[in-house]
């Protein structure tokens, strides 16, 4: 399970959040979310304890400090807290890795990637939001989730059917070293 939290809050707020999360988490990474409209800072927390109250803690911290967006993604089916009050959705996830990146190459890649997302949004009307961080080994990790809804859809399911084809195009364009496709549990706090 991991959490993706907005990192535009004041440094002292982020320090409190990191300190609280570190008791449940294994890794904390600073990254960004890229959309056709731009980018924002985000913090990734990998949660290691099963059935801990992390979802409730994150929900209260997100409300208290206005940490939005705040998402929790669960890849392991036995990891979900039994008493979580949030609505959980099953969504498609595409993750890929780009090796041999440094900060300078990453900036150039981000600009090109954002431009690619703009073109897709303009031409195909598919909104892609990607969460990205640069790992310690120089590998860029990119995660995208099919969490949008068609404007005309009034149901409760998340995702649009065109997203999977769009992600195939993006993966082909990015030429990653590793690609992983999963169905994951997802909640927006």
């Amino acid at each position: 399970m991991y959490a993706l939290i907005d990192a535009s809050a004041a440094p002292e707020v982020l320090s409190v959040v990191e300190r609280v999360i570190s008791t449940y988490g294994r890794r904390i990474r600073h990254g960004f979310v890229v959309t056709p409209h731009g980018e924002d800072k985000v913090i990734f927390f990998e949660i290691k304890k099963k059935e801990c109250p992390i979802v409730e803690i994150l929900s209260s911290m997100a409300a208290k400090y206005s940490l939005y967006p705040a998402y929790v993604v669960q890849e392991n089916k036995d990891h979900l807290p039994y008493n979580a009050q949030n609505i959980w959705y099953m969504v498609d996830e595409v993750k890929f890795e780009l090796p041999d990146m440094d900060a300078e190459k990453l900036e150039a890649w981000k600009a090109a990637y954002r431009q690619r997302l703009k073109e897709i949004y303009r031409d195909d009307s598919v909104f892609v939001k990607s969460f990205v961080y640069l790992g310690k080994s120089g590998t860029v990790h990119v995660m995208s989730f099919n969490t949008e809804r068609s404007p005309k859809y009034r149901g409760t399911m998340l995702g649009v059917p065109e997203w999977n084809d769009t992600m195939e195009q993006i993966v082909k364009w990015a030429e990653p070293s590793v690609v992983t496709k999963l169905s994951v549990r997802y909640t927006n706090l």
Side-chain angles (χ1 to χ4, degrees):
M1 183 184 302
Y2 48 93
L4 311 164
I5 297 179
D6 174 41
S8 62
E12 52 274 3
V13 168
L14 295 179
S15 176
V16 169
V17 172
E18 286 186 15
R19 195 168 50 251
V20 169
I21 300 298
S22 68
T23 62
Y24 301 101
R26 179 171 41 212
R27 293 186 187 104
I28 298 174
R29 301 270 191 260
H30 294 267
F32 49 91
V33 57
V34 180
T35 70
H37 309 307
E39 75 177 76
D40 289 308
K41 293 178 182 177
V42 71
I43 299 176
F44 298 78
F45 298 97
E46 187 175 348
I47 310 303
K48 64 181 179 184
K49 292 188 179 178
K50 292 185 178 187
E51 299 176 23
C52 64
I54 192 64
V55 176
E56 293 81 1
I57 290 168
L58 286 171
S59 293
S60 66
M61 292 184 91
K64 182 177 181 178
Y65 298 118
S66 298
L67 301 173
Y68 299 107
Y71 309 103
V72 177
V73 176
Q74 184 222 352
E75 294 177 345
N76 302 317
K77 291 186 168 63
D78 63 342
H79 206 57
L80 185 65
Y82 291 122
N83 59 350
Q85 300 298 313
N86 302 70
I87 297 172
W88 291 83
Y89 301 95
M90 289 300 294
V91 299
D92 293 330
E93 175 188 26
V94 174
K95 299 192 297 189
F96 59 88
E97 297 178 3
L98 303 166
D100 303 323
M101 286 272 197
D102 57 21
E104 188 175 307
K105 287 182 187 175
L106 179 59
E107 288 303 314
W109 180 84
K110 276 196 304 190
Y113 188 66
R114 190 170 46 249
Q115 183 60 38
R116 184 72 185 119
L117 295 183
K118 281 182 186 179
E119 291 166 4
I120 289 169
Y121 187 61
R122 181 189 65 227
D123 298 341
D124 303 332
S125 299
V126 178
F127 185 83
V128 174
K129 181 189 309 183
S130 295
F131 299 90
V132 182
Y133 71 88
L134 179 61
K136 292 182 179 178
S137 65
T139 299
V140 172
H141 300 267
V142 182
M143 293 173 268
S144 301
F145 306 96
N146 188 4
T147 58
E148 299 303 314
R149 288 188 181 149
S150 172
K152 296 178 183 173
Y153 178 68
R154 297 293 176 234
T156 58
M157 300 297 292
L158 292 182
V160 294
E162 304 86 12
W163 186 86
N164 290 310
D165 292 337
T166 298
M167 289 309 298
E168 289 288 335
Q169 292 175 24
I170 289 172
V171 166
K172 191 175 183 180
W173 172 86
E175 300 177 343
S177 62
V178 176
V179 179
T180 307
K181 298 177 182 179
L182 300 168
S183 287
V184 297
R185 284 189 176 126
Y186 164 94
T187 188
N188 183 350
L189 305 179

